[in-house]
Amino acid sequence: MTGVPLATAAGRALVDEAMRAAIERLDPWTRRVTAYHLGWVDADGRPVTGGGGKALRPALALLSARAAGAAPETALPGAVAVELVHAFSLLHDDIMDGDRTRRHRPAAWTVFGPSAAILGGDALMTIAIELLLDEDGPAAQRAARVLTEATRRLIAGQARDLDFESRDDVSLDECLAMVADKTGALLACSCAIGATLADAPPALVDALDRFGAELGMAFQLVDDLLGIWGSPDTTGKPVLSDLRARKKSLPVVAALAAGTAESRRLAELYARPAPRPEDELRETARLIEAAGGRAWAEAQAAHRLEQAETRLGRARMDDGVRAELRDIARFVTARDH
């Protein structure tokens, strides 16, 4: 997936220019690591094209300001900040998960080393906060707090995700709470931060936040499905990547909790140490589907998307902006992406 619907070329150019200006604040070495991670340069620092991400979070932030009746530029510091926090989380995620590819090329830590990638992630998070602190007024202070709280929750979710990998007793409720923090918190922040910077009424900020939280759950459910059954052309990672890492993703936990013969066999396979042979990984995927994990995740993704749209429908905003937010939600949760 290379873009989001109705995120205009002008809006994307606006964010890209501000992102590049933010990265220029870094020292040359850290700048090179982060520019590579963001898809702007190759390993030698030479510019490349077409390597950027989806720009989902900045697009939501700009629309958030428009939902409050403000110009999209109002949300620009927040739009860049949420994308930098997202990039920080991916830099660290790849190291923790041992993922060697990101967006169809070697992950930054495999190119520059884990230490450089960790520092790069730390730098991105720091600049994100700086961008909001550079702004004047109480609205910017509130936006900075929204971002820091979302980042704290993101880290807590990632910590629980790592803990789950060494546990055999992860419940579905625990897994849902983990996803609400690891993925939902930053998407909720993205949907609310533009309206916050625009000093919108609390009711609108809350509605956008809740829309983003539900969208985050749907997004992660789809991502978990792709992590097992997705094509490498779509995910940028090897097939069965989540199973190879023994991740307790939502389809896996749902299948383990189903109480079937397939669930019990699945538990046996998941208890085995890595690395595991390819035929065993394929059997694991088959057992998850047979135990109902895939169908449950697909149904839950549809339900969460419906809930997100319900939240959106109740919010007071321009109908055109509402339609754009709805289109983005449907686009990023489509299984063919």
Side-chain angles (χ1 to χ4, degrees):
M1 180 163 47
T2 58
V4 292
L6 304 183
T8 66
R12 193 175 181 103
L14 186 72
V15 171
D16 187 64
E17 182 180 355
M19 285 274 293
R20 291 177 185 272
I23 297 302
E24 282 297 315
R25 300 186 184 201
L26 299 177
D27 64 275
W29 174 244
T30 310
R31 188 189 313 141
R32 180 174 162 189
V33 174
T34 54
Y36 173 86
H37 175 63
L38 291 165
W40 298 344
V41 301
D42 65 14
D44 296 318
R46 293 185 295 259
V48 298
T49 58
K54 297 181 285 291
L56 165 63
R57 290 156 190 83
L60 291 168
L62 296 181
L63 280 170
S64 173
R66 289 179 54 205
E73 289 82 1
T74 305
L76 189 57
V80 175
V82 293
E83 187 69 355
L84 291 174
V85 169
H86 176 56
F88 133 73
S89 72
L90 296 182
L91 257 175
H92 286 192
D93 258 8
D94 287 343
I95 299 169
M96 288 182 279
D97 294 344
D99 286 340
R100 303 189 66 85
T101 59
R102 166 70 57 187
R103 295 173 184 150
H104 308 287
R105 65 177 186 166
W109 72 270
T110 70
V111 176
F112 302 100
S115 297
I118 290 169
L119 287 173
D122 294 345
L124 292 175
M125 183 175 67
T126 302
I127 296 174
I129 304 301
E130 277 186 10
L131 289 172
L132 292 172
L133 294 179
D134 284 347
E135 300 296 307
D136 294 326
Q141 293 178 5
R142 288 195 298 273
R145 180 169 295 278
V146 166
L147 183 69
T148 54
E149 289 179 356
T151 305
R152 173 174 51 78
R153 287 183 59 194
L154 183 157
I155 293 169
Q158 176 65 17
R160 282 200 296 273
D161 195 20
L162 288 174
D163 177 50
F164 291 172
E165 292 179 20
S166 61
R167 286 177 47 192
D168 297 326
D169 60 342
V170 178
S171 72
L172 197 51
D173 284 344
E174 284 182 297
C175 199
L176 287 166
M178 177 273 290
V179 169
D181 283 345
K182 182 180 176 181
T183 304
L186 190 58
L187 269 175
C189 172
S190 302
C191 291
I193 199 166
T196 301
L197 286 165
D199 205 16
L204 177 59
V205 174
D206 182 66
L208 289 166
D209 178 90
R210 290 173 182 270
F211 162 72
E214 293 290 354
L215 176 58
M217 297 298 292
F219 182 91
Q220 188 59 57
L221 282 155
V222 171
D223 198 59
D224 284 352
L225 288 162
L226 291 172
I228 300 173
W229 293 284
S231 163
D233 292 338
T234 299
T235 65
K237 297 181 180 182
V239 68
L240 304 174
S241 59
D242 281 2
L243 302 186
R244 191 170 286 104
R246 298 179 72 250
K247 294 188 76 67
K248 299 291 196 313
S249 64
L250 283 164
V252 172
V253 176
L256 288 169
T260 65
E262 290 85 0
S263 302
R264 292 186 287 274
R265 173 59 178 161
L266 177 63
E268 292 174 7
L269 293 181
Y270 245 73
R272 295 180 182 177
R276 294 157 59 197
E278 291 297 311
D279 60 338
E280 190 172 288
L281 293 174
R282 288 192 293 271
E283 182 186 1
T284 301
R286 182 190 64 79
L287 289 168
I288 294 168
E289 186 161 9
R294 183 173 188 171
W296 176 88
E298 290 173 344
Q300 274 292 305
H303 172 69
R304 293 289 185 165
L305 177 59
E306 181 181 353
Q307 290 294 104
E309 293 187 0
T310 297
R311 299 286 188 184
L312 200 58
R314 293 173 180 169
R316 297 184 64 180
M317 68 178 73
D318 177 80
D319 286 340
V321 175
R322 193 194 326 273
E324 289 188 56
L325 286 166
R326 185 181 295 116
D327 285 347
I328 287 180
R330 292 176 181 177
F331 183 83
V332 301
T333 55
R335 281 303 316 280
D336 58 347
H337 294 294

